[in-house]
Amino acid sequence: MIWDELETSLAQLADEGLLRRRRTLDAPCGPEAVIDGQRLIAFCSNDYLGLANHPALIAAAQEAAAHWGVGSGASHAVSGHLRPHAELEERLAVFVGRERALYFTTGYMANLAIVPVLVDRHDAIFADRLNHASLIDTALLARAEHIRYPHGDLDWLAGRLAHNRARRKLILTDAVFSMDGDLAPLPELFDLAERFDAWLVVDDAHGFGVLGPNGRGSLAHFALPASPRLILMGTLGKAAGVSGAFVAGDPRVIEWLMQRGRPYIFTTASSPVIAAALLASLELIVAGDDRRAHLQALIARLRTGLDGLPWRLLPSLTAIQPLVIGDNQAAVALAERLLAQGLWVPAIRPPTVPIGTARLRISLSAAHTAAQVDALLAALRDCVDHAA
Ligand SMILES: *Cc1c(COP(=O)(O)O)cnc(C)c1O
């Protein structure tokens, strides 16, 4: 039977230790998670500013539910585009300093929409090898030639751009790489895009709200110009603490995306409650310098505290702090020892990261306290002492 094959494949995943296991949380997203009655300090979420459970967002959502109801009823292009969605797009565009923004239900869908409307099978996509899965999928969907360059290797990329004969070229990159925490060389990538007349699409899932003045993101961090060839995607389920995403840029690009982006057109608009919560979130992000300063202080505290431990801490200045263990089993064993001490840090293994670089992906949030970071440091030191 055809389902017997699935059973074999599932058993194989289990044998290789690659089965994904979900845990059900019995408390809201925050630094303290509750799983199976156990209280844990969690270093897993992308809620970098601690807004996911913020009273102002909750109040905005409650008010919006009372006023607008919970469902949008249709896609944006038919009758699902309500006032809170429209307002959100206007505020997002102003916030990131672009003429127009289009709001999407998820970042995955925004990425699936943007690339195929700009390039097709006559064209070429140049993508960083460590890009997020959604950027790989959108390149496949576009059916363009898909050239993956070694992580951050500008010379390699320049050589390929110079020799490629495609009609249109598009450079595709994460701004902050999600498993390493490092920044893409965006000013240099923008120069290459100018030199070779290419689009530059930047996925700022992990920079939006965190980096740049007022948290305006990675493009603002590097003070890049509002060029028509530069297209920004930002997600709203990470630092913004809710869900959804946006694409911002030149009004012609955004209009074309709205007309032609299939993952935009053929899906129901997300709830107006979400849009209202995001409007409240945006205000807290703008006024969030204290939160960002606290987050930076926690990052510095963690990095200083990890100095001298036997594992390699990747050079990241963002909330994503990967501690490379190397061996898969060793990474899992370390994560389990931490868990036994009430600390939840995910172990990330291949194929999500390159073979031999299994790691603990510590993610920090402005909602963490210094004492919580210290607890993690003490537990890690304890693990070293016991291993020695
Ligand atoms: C999380 C993430 C996405 C997907 O965004 P969702 O809103 O969660 O669908 C896209 N790109 C990157 C780099 C991400 O980290």
Side-chain angles (χ1 to χ4, degrees):
M1 295 298 154
I2 43 182
W3 40 86
D4 290 337
E5 291 171 18
L6 296 186
E7 209 170 292
T8 311
S9 302
L10 282 168
Q12 198 177 336
L13 280 184
D15 280 349
E16 290 164 6
L18 292 177
L19 270 189
R20 293 173 193 270
R21 179 168 150 236
R22 299 178 304 173
R23 295 171 208 265
T24 303
L25 281 76
D26 290 307
C29 171
E32 288 200 2
V34 177
I35 300 169
D36 296 332
Q38 192 191 0
R39 196 167 282 281
L40 300 166
I41 306 174
F43 295 92
C44 320
S45 90
N46 306 308
D47 180 25
Y48 302 130
L49 297 180
L51 299 181
N53 190 32
H54 192 283
L57 273 67
I58 296 169
Q62 285 170 334
E63 251 174 64
H67 191 88
W68 297 100
V70 292
S72 60
S75 68
H76 285 279
V78 177
S79 66
H81 194 61
L82 277 60
R83 181 61 56 196
H85 299 122
E87 249 182 60
L88 178 62
E89 287 184 342
E90 281 165 28
R91 301 260 194 97
L92 282 167
V94 171
F95 181 60
V96 298
R98 302 304 301 260
E99 276 188 70
R100 207 172 150 196
L102 193 68
Y103 168 63
F104 281 79
T105 305
T106 74
Y108 186 80
M109 286 167 66
N111 279 341
L112 287 193
I114 183 68
V115 171
V117 303
L118 296 175
V119 292
D120 64 22
R121 61 195 173 78
H122 305 289
D123 307 325
I125 296 166
F126 301 82
D128 191 292
R129 191 162 278 287
L130 294 190
N131 276 350
H132 188 260
S134 58
L135 296 179
I136 298 171
D137 294 357
T138 192
L140 295 175
L141 209 55
R143 282 181 272 195
E145 187 187 357
H146 189 192
I147 297 156
R148 298 180 73 191
Y149 57 89
H151 182 49
D153 192 336
L154 295 164
D155 290 337
W156 198 98
L157 173 60
R160 288 307 180 94
L161 280 165
H163 291 107
N164 195 283
R165 293 274 154 265
R167 188 188 58 167
R168 290 185 191 167
K169 298 171 185 172
L170 183 149
I171 303 170
L172 189 57
T173 187
D174 280 20
V176 175
F177 289 88
S178 48
M179 292 303 144
D180 291 48
D182 59 329
L183 278 162
L186 293 178
E188 291 79 4
L189 289 173
F190 181 68
D191 286 346
L192 288 177
E194 292 262 272
R195 220 168 103 202
F196 296 103
D197 190 25
W199 297 106
L200 174 59
V201 175
V202 176
D203 175 339
D204 201 20
H206 300 280
F208 181 83
V210 178
L211 298 176
N214 299 112
R216 287 171 211 278
S218 301
L219 302 188
H221 171 82
F222 286 114
L224 287 177
S227 156
R229 72 172 72 256
L230 182 54
I231 297 159
L232 169 67
M233 194 287 287
T235 64
L236 303 168
K238 288 169 180 153
V242 190
S243 72
F246 67 91
V247 177
D250 183 271
R252 292 160 293 186
V253 172
I254 301 303
E255 181 64 22
W256 183 242
L257 178 61
M258 196 184 96
Q259 297 299 332
R260 282 289 187 252
R262 293 170 67 87
Y264 183 77
I265 298 166
F266 298 107
T267 193
T268 301
S270 78
S271 167
V273 171
I274 302 284
L278 282 166
L279 282 164
S281 169
L282 211 46
E283 283 182 25
L284 291 177
I285 290 174
V286 174
D289 282 349
D290 289 351
R291 282 192 179 79
R292 282 181 288 273
H294 179 57
L295 177 61
Q296 284 307 325
L298 294 178
I299 293 168
R301 191 180 189 93
L302 179 79
R303 292 190 69 85
T304 309
L306 286 172
D307 207 33
L309 293 189
W311 305 293
R312 187 163 60 99
L313 182 64
L314 295 184
S316 157
L317 300 174
T318 66
I320 303 166
Q321 294 291 324
L323 193 60
V324 176
I325 311 300
D327 177 67
N328 292 355
Q329 302 300 343
V332 172
L334 189 54
E336 276 171 8
R337 297 202 46 177
L338 292 175
L339 204 58
Q341 299 184 60
L343 296 152
W344 187 11
V345 184
I348 312 283
R349 288 162 292 169
T352 308
V353 293
I355 291 171
T357 69
R359 63 196 68 183
L360 295 186
R361 182 180 183 271
I362 304 167
S363 61
L364 295 172
S365 161
H368 284 121
T369 62
Q372 288 169 329
V373 171
D374 290 348
L376 175 61
L377 289 168
L380 281 167
R381 258 180 242 120
D382 192 56
C383 289
V384 178
D385 292 345
H386 278 81

mmCIF file of all heavy atoms in Angstrom, residues 46 105-109 111 131-135 174-178 203-206 233 235-238 243-245 361, ligand 1:
data_model
loop_
_atom_site.group_PDB
_atom_site.id
_atom_site.type_symbol
_atom_site.label_atom_id
_atom_site.label_comp_id
_atom_site.label_asym_id
_atom_site.label_seq_id
_atom_site.Cartn_x
_atom_site.Cartn_y
_atom_site.Cartn_z
ATOM 1 N N ASN A 46 11.551 33.824 18.992
ATOM 2 C CA ASN A 46 12.043 34.979 18.234
ATOM 3 C C ASN A 46 11.338 36.254 18.680
ATOM 4 O O ASN A 46 11.341 37.246 17.968
ATOM 5 C CB ASN A 46 11.785 34.758 16.743
ATOM 6 C CG ASN A 46 12.352 33.440 16.248
ATOM 7 O OD1 ASN A 46 13.517 33.148 16.458
ATOM 8 N ND2 ASN A 46 11.517 32.625 15.619
ATOM 9 N N THR A 105 0.012 37.559 5.189
ATOM 10 C CA THR A 105 -0.379 36.738 6.329
ATOM 11 C C THR A 105 0.821 36.110 7.038
ATOM 12 O O THR A 105 0.822 35.984 8.258
ATOM 13 C CB THR A 105 -1.342 35.633 5.851
ATOM 14 O OG1 THR A 105 -2.416 36.281 5.187
ATOM 15 C CG2 THR A 105 -1.890 34.824 7.000
ATOM 16 N N THR A 106 1.816 35.691 6.264
ATOM 17 C CA THR A 106 3.046 35.162 6.877
ATOM 18 C C THR A 106 4.248 35.564 6.027
ATOM 19 O O THR A 106 4.111 35.895 4.840
ATOM 20 C CB THR A 106 3.062 33.614 6.989
ATOM 21 O OG1 THR A 106 3.289 33.058 5.687
ATOM 22 C CG2 THR A 106 1.775 33.051 7.561
ATOM 23 N N GLY A 107 5.401 35.475 6.641
ATOM 24 C CA GLY A 107 6.634 35.773 5.933
ATOM 25 C C GLY A 107 6.926 34.735 4.861
ATOM 26 O O GLY A 107 7.469 35.052 3.805
ATOM 27 N N TYR A 108 6.569 33.509 5.144
ATOM 28 C CA TYR A 108 6.776 32.445 4.161
ATOM 29 C C TYR A 108 6.012 32.783 2.877
ATOM 30 O O TYR A 108 6.539 32.693 1.770
ATOM 31 C CB TYR A 108 6.303 31.111 4.756
ATOM 32 C CG TYR A 108 6.591 29.920 3.875
ATOM 33 C CD1 TYR A 108 7.853 29.349 3.852
ATOM 34 C CD2 TYR A 108 5.603 29.373 3.065
ATOM 35 C CE1 TYR A 108 8.134 28.267 3.034
ATOM 36 C CE2 TYR A 108 5.873 28.295 2.254
ATOM 37 C CZ TYR A 108 7.138 27.741 2.244
ATOM 38 O OH TYR A 108 7.407 26.675 1.432
ATOM 39 N N MET A 109 4.767 33.234 3.028
ATOM 40 C CA MET A 109 3.968 33.577 1.851
ATOM 41 C C MET A 109 4.485 34.830 1.156
ATOM 42 O O MET A 109 4.448 34.931 -0.069
ATOM 43 C CB MET A 109 2.508 33.730 2.248
ATOM 44 C CG MET A 109 1.879 32.369 2.505
ATOM 45 S SD MET A 109 0.311 32.495 3.324
ATOM 46 C CE MET A 109 -0.645 33.291 2.079
ATOM 47 N N ASN A 111 7.551 35.764 0.950
ATOM 48 C CA ASN A 111 8.712 35.358 0.158
ATOM 49 C C ASN A 111 8.301 34.562 -1.074
ATOM 50 O O ASN A 111 8.868 34.727 -2.151
ATOM 51 C CB ASN A 111 9.690 34.554 1.018
ATOM 52 C CG ASN A 111 10.562 35.467 1.867
ATOM 53 O OD1 ASN A 111 10.692 36.660 1.577
ATOM 54 N ND2 ASN A 111 11.134 34.926 2.920
ATOM 55 N N ASN A 131 20.676 31.055 3.093
ATOM 56 C CA ASN A 131 19.349 31.675 3.142
ATOM 57 C C ASN A 131 18.300 30.764 3.774
ATOM 58 O O ASN A 131 18.393 29.539 3.716
ATOM 59 C CB ASN A 131 18.877 32.017 1.726
ATOM 60 C CG ASN A 131 19.431 33.355 1.244
ATOM 61 O OD1 ASN A 131 20.010 34.114 2.015
ATOM 62 N ND2 ASN A 131 19.235 33.638 -0.033
ATOM 63 N N HIS A 132 17.265 31.403 4.309
ATOM 64 C CA HIS A 132 16.116 30.705 4.903
ATOM 65 C C HIS A 132 15.408 29.812 3.872
ATOM 66 O O HIS A 132 15.388 30.125 2.672
ATOM 67 C CB HIS A 132 15.141 31.766 5.423
ATOM 68 C CG HIS A 132 14.011 31.228 6.231
ATOM 69 N ND1 HIS A 132 12.755 31.045 5.716
ATOM 70 C CD2 HIS A 132 13.949 30.845 7.529
ATOM 71 C CE1 HIS A 132 11.960 30.570 6.654
ATOM 72 N NE2 HIS A 132 12.664 30.444 7.766
ATOM 73 N N ALA A 133 14.795 28.745 4.353
ATOM 74 C CA ALA A 133 14.107 27.776 3.486
ATOM 75 C C ALA A 133 13.077 28.445 2.570
ATOM 76 O O ALA A 133 12.913 28.041 1.413
ATOM 77 C CB ALA A 133 13.425 26.712 4.349
ATOM 78 N N SER A 134 12.396 29.456 3.053
ATOM 79 C CA SER A 134 11.357 30.106 2.234
ATOM 80 C C SER A 134 11.977 30.789 1.017
ATOM 81 O O SER A 134 11.322 30.912 -0.027
ATOM 82 C CB SER A 134 10.578 31.116 3.068
ATOM 83 O OG SER A 134 11.435 32.091 3.620
ATOM 84 N N LEU A 135 13.222 31.209 1.113
ATOM 85 C CA LEU A 135 13.885 31.853 -0.030
ATOM 86 C C LEU A 135 14.348 30.801 -1.035
ATOM 87 O O LEU A 135 14.425 31.062 -2.234
ATOM 88 C CB LEU A 135 15.065 32.711 0.442
ATOM 89 C CG LEU A 135 14.682 33.903 1.324
ATOM 90 C CD1 LEU A 135 15.924 34.677 1.753
ATOM 91 C CD2 LEU A 135 13.716 34.833 0.604
ATOM 92 N N ASP A 174 19.064 36.770 3.182
ATOM 93 C CA ASP A 174 18.658 37.115 4.541
ATOM 94 C C ASP A 174 19.481 38.335 4.946
ATOM 95 O O ASP A 174 20.645 38.451 4.537
ATOM 96 C CB ASP A 174 19.044 35.984 5.513
ATOM 97 C CG ASP A 174 18.088 34.804 5.512
ATOM 98 O OD1 ASP A 174 17.336 34.640 4.535
ATOM 99 O OD2 ASP A 174 18.122 34.032 6.496
ATOM 100 N N ALA A 175 18.920 39.210 5.770
ATOM 101 C CA ALA A 175 19.713 40.317 6.317
ATOM 102 C C ALA A 175 20.497 39.806 7.525
ATOM 103 O O ALA A 175 21.699 40.027 7.649
ATOM 104 C CB ALA A 175 18.812 41.476 6.708
ATOM 105 N N VAL A 176 19.787 39.100 8.406
ATOM 106 C CA VAL A 176 20.410 38.439 9.558
ATOM 107 C C VAL A 176 20.170 36.946 9.346
ATOM 108 O O VAL A 176 19.030 36.525 9.182
ATOM 109 C CB VAL A 176 19.761 38.881 10.884
ATOM 110 C CG1 VAL A 176 20.347 38.097 12.057
ATOM 111 C CG2 VAL A 176 19.907 40.386 11.101
ATOM 112 N N PHE A 177 21.241 36.155 9.333
ATOM 113 C CA PHE A 177 21.075 34.734 9.045
ATOM 114 C C PHE A 177 20.555 34.002 10.274
ATOM 115 O O PHE A 177 21.104 34.155 11.377
ATOM 116 C CB PHE A 177 22.391 34.160 8.513
ATOM 117 C CG PHE A 177 22.669 34.667 7.136
ATOM 118 C CD1 PHE A 177 23.351 35.865 6.942
ATOM 119 C CD2 PHE A 177 22.161 34.009 6.025
ATOM 120 C CE1 PHE A 177 23.554 36.376 5.671
ATOM 121 C CE2 PHE A 177 22.358 34.510 4.751
ATOM 122 C CZ PHE A 177 23.056 35.697 4.571
ATOM 123 N N SER A 178 19.495 33.225 10.053
ATOM 124 C CA SER A 178 18.686 32.782 11.185
ATOM 125 C C SER A 178 19.366 31.727 12.057
ATOM 126 O O SER A 178 19.021 31.589 13.220
ATOM 127 C CB SER A 178 17.329 32.283 10.705
ATOM 128 O OG SER A 178 17.464 31.398 9.632
ATOM 129 N N ASP A 203 15.522 39.814 3.047
ATOM 130 C CA ASP A 203 14.605 39.253 4.042
ATOM 131 C C ASP A 203 15.111 39.667 5.425
ATOM 132 O O ASP A 203 16.127 39.174 5.896
ATOM 133 C CB ASP A 203 14.596 37.723 3.883
ATOM 134 C CG ASP A 203 13.766 37.005 4.947
ATOM 135 O OD1 ASP A 203 13.513 37.591 6.018
ATOM 136 O OD2 ASP A 203 13.389 35.848 4.701
ATOM 137 N N ASP A 204 14.373 40.588 6.052
ATOM 138 C CA ASP A 204 14.828 41.139 7.336
ATOM 139 C C ASP A 204 14.031 40.576 8.519
ATOM 140 O O ASP A 204 13.735 41.292 9.485
ATOM 141 C CB ASP A 204 14.732 42.670 7.303
ATOM 142 C CG ASP A 204 15.631 43.309 8.347
ATOM 143 O OD1 ASP A 204 16.575 42.646 8.814
ATOM 144 O OD2 ASP A 204 15.378 44.478 8.698
ATOM 145 N N ALA A 205 13.708 39.292 8.448
ATOM 146 C CA ALA A 205 12.910 38.655 9.507
ATOM 147 C C ALA A 205 13.494 38.904 10.900
ATOM 148 O O ALA A 205 12.756 39.133 11.853
ATOM 149 C CB ALA A 205 12.807 37.154 9.241
ATOM 150 N N HIS A 206 14.838 38.866 11.002
ATOM 151 C CA HIS A 206 15.454 38.947 12.332
ATOM 152 C C HIS A 206 16.050 40.311 12.650
ATOM 153 O O HIS A 206 16.580 40.512 13.733
ATOM 154 C CB HIS A 206 16.522 37.860 12.481
ATOM 155 C CG HIS A 206 15.967 36.487 12.318
ATOM 156 N ND1 HIS A 206 15.305 35.820 13.320
ATOM 157 C CD2 HIS A 206 15.928 35.673 11.238
ATOM 158 C CE1 HIS A 206 14.914 34.640 12.875
ATOM 159 N NE2 HIS A 206 15.274 34.524 11.613
ATOM 160 N N MET A 233 11.670 42.730 2.706
ATOM 161 C CA MET A 233 10.636 41.891 3.313
ATOM 162 C C MET A 233 10.914 41.882 4.818
ATOM 163 O O MET A 233 12.063 41.679 5.228
ATOM 164 C CB MET A 233 10.713 40.474 2.755
ATOM 165 C CG MET A 233 9.505 39.588 3.030
ATOM 166 S SD MET A 233 9.297 38.988 4.719
ATOM 167 C CE MET A 233 10.600 37.776 4.804
ATOM 168 N N THR A 235 9.261 40.434 8.692
ATOM 169 C CA THR A 235 8.205 39.605 9.293
ATOM 170 C C THR A 235 7.726 40.248 10.581
ATOM 171 O O THR A 235 8.432 41.031 11.217
ATOM 172 C CB THR A 235 8.680 38.163 9.564
ATOM 173 O OG1 THR A 235 9.720 38.187 10.526
ATOM 174 C CG2 THR A 235 9.167 37.500 8.302
ATOM 175 N N LEU A 236 6.515 39.921 10.953
ATOM 176 C CA LEU A 236 5.851 40.565 12.086
ATOM 177 C C LEU A 236 5.525 39.562 13.189
ATOM 178 O O LEU A 236 4.810 39.871 14.140
ATOM 179 C CB LEU A 236 4.580 41.271 11.582
ATOM 180 C CG LEU A 236 4.871 42.303 10.465
ATOM 181 C CD1 LEU A 236 3.586 42.769 9.793
ATOM 182 C CD2 LEU A 236 5.650 43.490 11.020
ATOM 183 N N GLY A 237 6.044 38.355 13.054
ATOM 184 C CA GLY A 237 5.838 37.324 14.075
ATOM 185 C C GLY A 237 7.053 37.165 14.973
ATOM 186 O O GLY A 237 7.063 36.330 15.879
ATOM 187 N N LYS A 238 8.107 37.933 14.719
ATOM 188 C CA LYS A 238 9.319 37.810 15.536
ATOM 189 C C LYS A 238 9.374 39.006 16.488
ATOM 190 O O LYS A 238 8.606 39.053 17.428
ATOM 191 C CB LYS A 238 10.515 37.629 14.615
ATOM 192 C CG LYS A 238 10.422 36.217 14.034
ATOM 193 C CD LYS A 238 11.323 35.866 12.919
ATOM 194 C CE LYS A 238 11.036 34.417 12.515
ATOM 195 N NZ LYS A 238 11.349 34.121 11.132
ATOM 196 N N SER A 243 2.077 38.177 14.196
ATOM 197 C CA SER A 243 2.285 37.295 13.044
ATOM 198 C C SER A 243 2.038 38.119 11.802
ATOM 199 O O SER A 243 1.454 39.195 11.867
ATOM 200 C CB SER A 243 1.339 36.086 13.077
ATOM 201 O OG SER A 243 0.022 36.484 12.795
ATOM 202 N N GLY A 244 2.486 37.607 10.661
ATOM 203 C CA GLY A 244 2.331 38.332 9.411
ATOM 204 C C GLY A 244 3.670 38.846 8.922
ATOM 205 O O GLY A 244 4.720 38.551 9.508
ATOM 206 N N ALA A 245 3.624 39.593 7.817
ATOM 207 C CA ALA A 245 4.850 40.088 7.191
ATOM 208 C C ALA A 245 4.476 41.219 6.242
ATOM 209 O O ALA A 245 3.293 41.485 6.010
ATOM 210 C CB ALA A 245 5.543 38.967 6.422
ATOM 211 N N ARG A 361 21.128 26.889 19.747
ATOM 212 C CA ARG A 361 20.760 28.222 19.238
ATOM 213 C C ARG A 361 20.087 28.971 20.381
ATOM 214 O O ARG A 361 18.902 28.799 20.651
ATOM 215 C CB ARG A 361 19.827 28.090 18.047
ATOM 216 C CG ARG A 361 19.422 29.424 17.422
ATOM 217 C CD ARG A 361 18.490 29.152 16.250
ATOM 218 N NE ARG A 361 18.090 30.334 15.530
ATOM 219 C CZ ARG A 361 17.031 31.068 15.840
ATOM 220 N NH1 ARG A 361 16.307 30.764 16.891
ATOM 221 N NH2 ARG A 361 16.709 32.105 15.116
HETATM 222 C C1 LIG B 1 10.784 33.160 10.156
HETATM 223 C C2 LIG B 1 11.366 33.498 8.853
HETATM 224 C C3 LIG B 1 10.576 33.591 7.701
HETATM 225 C C4 LIG B 1 9.118 33.188 7.694
HETATM 226 O O1 LIG B 1 8.332 34.137 8.316
HETATM 227 P P1 LIG B 1 6.942 33.666 8.952
HETATM 228 O O2 LIG B 1 6.213 34.939 9.178
HETATM 229 O O3 LIG B 1 7.282 32.945 10.196
HETATM 230 O O4 LIG B 1 6.272 32.793 7.938
HETATM 231 C C5 LIG B 1 11.166 34.019 6.542
HETATM 232 N N1 LIG B 1 12.482 34.316 6.489
HETATM 233 C C6 LIG B 1 13.288 34.204 7.568
HETATM 234 C C7 LIG B 1 14.724 34.545 7.460
HETATM 235 C C8 LIG B 1 12.755 33.783 8.783
HETATM 236 O O5 LIG B 1 13.543 33.655 9.847
#
